[in-house]
Amino acid sequence: MLCTHCSKTFAADGVKNQRGRGLNAQIQCPHCSAWLGRNPILTRMKMVGFYLGCAALAYGYFSPSLRHITTPVAIFAIMALLVSHMMDHLKVIEAPDVEPVDDSEHRKKYR
């Protein structure tokens, strides 16, 4: 997995903290302690697109008289699946607190 806050990769088994369940689950990055989660609307759209596309293809395969209806439905469902899959990334839900660093000595050196 890739953290969108610190851009470091970590394994799924490296996650120690999790909150929430199901589609609203959030995980904590082990490197920067930022809480990351997915958009539940895009995840639902991905699941609906997959199951609707599979059902339309299967129904059209076994019912040749309705292929002119099930084929476009399957095509649009798979297009929705692919678009929602490309857009569904981890996003930062809660960023960690950043401690302010006093760098006035460093700035004075270059003035």
Side-chain angles (χ1 to χ4, degrees), residues 28-93:
Q28 190 174 24
C29 175
H31 300 291
C32 66
S33 300
W35 286 97
L36 308 170
R38 295 194 183 276
N39 188 345
I41 295 171
L42 289 174
T43 306
R44 282 188 188 99
M45 186 176 164
K46 190 185 320 184
M47 290 183 349
V48 167
F50 174 77
Y51 288 118
L52 183 64
C54 287
L57 286 174
Y59 193 74
Y61 180 77
F62 292 112
S63 178
S65 63
L66 293 176
R67 277 194 190 150
H68 65 282
I69 295 173
T70 58
T71 303
V73 169
I75 290 171
F76 285 119
I78 302 240
M79 285 173 43
L81 164 72
L82 293 174
V83 168
S84 62
H85 179 69
M86 288 190 303
M87 294 174 56
D88 190 24
H89 297 287
L90 287 173
K91 63 179 181 176
V92 178
I93 304 295

Side-chain angles (χ1 to χ4, degrees), residues 2-3 5 11 17-18 23 27 36 40-41 53 76 80 83 91-92 94 103 106 108 110:
L2 180 68
C3 178
H5 187 260
N17 295 330
Q18 178 181 353
L23 298 178
I27 58 172
L36 308 170
I41 295 171
F76 285 119
V83 168
K91 63 179 181 176
V92 178
E94 184 179 324
D103 60 348
H106 181 72
K108 285 181 185 177
Y110 292 104

Side-chain angles (χ1 to χ4, degrees), residues 8-27:
K8 293 182 181 177
T9 59
F10 58 93
D13 58 353
V15 174
K16 298 197 179 8
N17 295 330
Q18 178 181 353
R19 62 183 179 192
R21 294 187 153 243
L23 298 178
N24 292 324
Q26 299 173 359
I27 58 172

